[in-house]
Amino acid sequence: MLQVDYGSKPFQGHNTPFYYYDMDLLQRTLHSAAEASRRYGIKIHYAMKANSEQRILEAVATAGFGVDSVSGNEILEACRCGFDPSGIFFAGVGKTDSEIDIALSKGIGAFNCESVEELEIIAGRAAAHGLVAPVQIRVNPGVDAHTHKYVTTGLAENKFGVASVDFERAAAFVKGAPSLRFVGLQFHVGSQILDVEEVFRDECYRAAELVDFFEERGLRVSSIDMGGGLGVDYEDPDENPVPDFETWFRTIDRYLPRRIDQEVHVEPGRALVAQCGSLISRVVYVKKGVGRNFLILDGGMNNLIRPALYGAYHKIENLTAHYVREDEEKSCVYDVVGPICESADVFATGRQLRRSLRGDLVAIRSAGAYGSVMSSAYNMRGFAGAVFSDQTV
Ligand code: LLP
């Protein structure tokens, strides 16, 4: 059950829906990741696309991590929240000219380049400004992440990264471009990876081959960026609140050969922030349908789209029944839905929950990553605000 420190009446006085962040859990997660990264000499760049709340960015910056950004606005926000520009990577298949200029002017650590076409544009813009752009080439490793097709990125048919047919061309272009400084290679196979040892071992094998390929062509690979993807336990967030960074980094350390002068980087998003966030929503109606009961919430797919978009599972809890009524015994089976005029606006079907009444507060757990950032104003519903556990109410 979500732990809340508001006595017997949690979250009174807050407008629903809102995102609630357990800042203590965030700190424990950052600490665990930082410890493991120190043990194995691996540098962490937080994939801020997962959650760009200012308080969260500040906490991650204070932990000493860098950032994996995917837009000019993310770069500007990371700088504003205290990240050192030299620790910022800039990824994405569609970097615009103005975003490239922002990155150049801030002096970021590296552009993660996704095509030869993009390398050409970055080289041109850097030259025009009299600058040299640090670049990592994102290589499509062709490794199956065994995850949802919408979050698999490392297969040959995905739009991401330079495909193997273009490796020669990319290497030759970077070598011959005086306004580019080759830093290294970047990989990313997918997201919500649970077969940690197997998938990341395969990624390491493939990365080692590709490092050799580029070095044989006279490019010194001083940085190897293994991407993100470590999964979290959506089924049981209380049992596994902090993901297993140790196994991830140990696997990389074991299977990725590296010289003393080579840095290894990773870009976790979800693993750092998913478990600390919950979407708190109020029951508007308990509706008796044909052969089923609907729990209709005031939060919907506009606030958290993961169930509608990916069929993603999120644990759901009735906080009022637990904290206020202590309604332990009585439970019912509900379809938990939002108010949006779309059949896909469903958080869960046939879910056993404590008996729920109109006005109850419900927590949708593990929503700290790809929750708020993917929300929309569909149906002209407002955006959910943020409440932090260390704020006084
Ligand atoms: N690096 C790159 C190049 C990426 O594309 C991503 C995520 C990450 C790092 C961070 O991956 P993570 O550690 O968070 O798995 N909206 C989807 C997830 C999309 C992931 C996109 N790329 C979801 O809600 O599951």
Side-chain angles (χ1 to χ4, degrees):
M1 183 63 60
L2 178 69
Q3 296 298 309
V4 282
D5 289 334
Y6 296 113
S8 61
K9 296 208 165 146
F11 302 129
Q12 285 238 321
H14 288 289
N15 288 330
T16 50
F18 60 88
Y19 276 92
Y20 172 72
Y21 295 105
D22 178 340
M23 297 306 272
D24 178 59
L25 177 56
L26 175 65
Q27 286 302 342
R28 283 193 283 135
T29 308
L30 296 176
H31 182 73
S32 165
E35 290 250 289
S37 82
R38 269 194 293 277
R39 255 194 308 281
Y40 295 104
I42 290 173
K43 295 187 185 218
I44 297 177
H45 298 253
Y46 168 53
M48 66 181 281
K49 65 170 87 69
N51 190 314
S52 48
E53 274 299 336
Q54 180 176 331
R55 289 282 321 271
I56 289 184
L57 291 177
E58 286 168 354
V60 177
T62 305
F65 301 167
V67 147
D68 167 42
S69 67
V70 288
S71 69
N73 286 341
E74 284 195 356
I75 294 171
L76 293 172
E77 186 63 3
C79 292
R80 202 177 67 82
C81 290
F83 288 94
D84 187 330
S86 67
I88 300 179
F89 292 163
F90 181 24
V93 295
K95 301 177 187 75
T96 64
D97 293 6
S98 64
E99 290 178 315
I100 292 168
D101 290 350
I102 289 170
L104 287 169
S105 71
K106 289 289 178 190
I108 64 159
F111 289 84
N112 285 341
C113 300
E114 309 243 5
S115 65
V116 180
E117 293 79 359
E118 181 194 323
L119 284 165
E120 289 168 359
I121 297 297
I122 293 173
R125 297 204 78 77
H129 296 296
L131 296 169
V132 174
V135 295
Q136 300 190 133
I137 297 180
R138 178 169 180 181
V139 179
N140 200 329
V143 169
D144 188 348
H146 307 169
T147 183
H148 193 283
K149 70 176 180 341
Y150 282 8
V151 293
T152 292
T153 51
L155 294 176
E157 67 263 30
N158 296 129
K159 70 177 174 182
F160 301 100
V162 175
S164 51
V165 289
D166 283 330
F167 289 170
E168 287 290 359
R169 200 156 68 93
F173 181 80
V174 173
K175 258 192 99 173
S179 60
L180 297 183
R181 177 167 59 85
F182 180 75
V183 181
L185 298 178
Q186 189 235 356
F187 309 89
H188 176 75
V189 293
S191 205
Q192 183 54 12
I193 292 167
L194 294 172
D195 301 335
V196 176
E197 285 173 292
E198 190 189 335
V199 172
F200 290 110
R201 181 200 60 207
D202 290 354
E203 187 191 20
C204 288
Y205 287 154
R206 186 75 183 122
E209 285 169 17
L210 291 164
V211 168
D212 288 347
F213 178 95
F214 280 86
E215 294 221 319
E216 279 159 16
R217 275 140 193 90
L219 291 171
R220 194 168 181 75
V221 177
S222 52
S223 160
I224 308 170
D225 177 347
M226 298 297 283
L230 179 65
V232 304
D233 190 345
Y234 281 99
E235 305 271 334
D236 200 346
D238 294 322
E239 187 62 29
N240 292 302
V242 179
D244 187 0
F245 296 99
E246 164 69 27
T247 301
W248 186 22
F249 296 160
R250 195 183 53 233
T251 303
I252 294 175
D253 184 63
R254 184 172 299 165
Y255 295 108
L256 182 69
R258 63 163 141 162
R259 295 187 305 264
I260 195 94
D261 63 330
Q262 280 173 326
E263 287 183 351
V264 175
H265 302 260
V266 288
E267 304 167 344
R270 185 190 322 265
L272 293 176
V273 295
Q275 300 293 38
C276 73
S278 297
L279 178 65
I280 310 294
S281 192
R282 200 174 285 283
V283 176
V284 188
Y285 294 103
V286 184
K287 173 175 167 176
K288 263 207 159 325
V290 181
R292 57 185 63 207
N293 294 314
F294 292 104
L295 220 55
I296 303 178
L297 307 181
D298 60 2
M301 65 189 287
N302 57 311
N303 303 116
L304 177 66
I305 202 172
R306 302 193 71 257
L309 190 57
Y310 313 120
Y313 179 94
H314 284 260
K315 186 168 185 186
I316 301 177
E317 295 165 342
N318 185 323
L319 299 177
T320 311
H322 176 81
Y323 284 102
V324 181
R325 291 200 299 276
E326 295 173 12
D327 222 350
E328 295 284 344
E329 260 90 80
K330 298 179 195 124
S331 71
C332 285
V333 174
Y334 298 103
D335 283 6
V336 185
V337 303
I340 299 294
C341 297
E342 293 269 351
S343 307
D345 188 21
V346 175
F347 289 120
T349 44
R351 192 71 70 84
Q352 181 122 18
L353 294 179
R354 288 184 186 177
R355 191 174 59 91
S356 302
L357 304 176
R358 173 178 165 82
D360 284 358
L361 286 177
V362 163
I364 304 179
R365 303 288 307 275
S366 313
Y370 308 110
S372 175
V373 284
M374 291 179 77
S375 55
S376 78
Y378 190 33
N379 285 196
M380 282 187 82
R381 292 198 169 265
F383 288 95
V387 173
F388 300 92
S389 59
D390 56 358
Q391 271 172 348
T392 45
V393 272

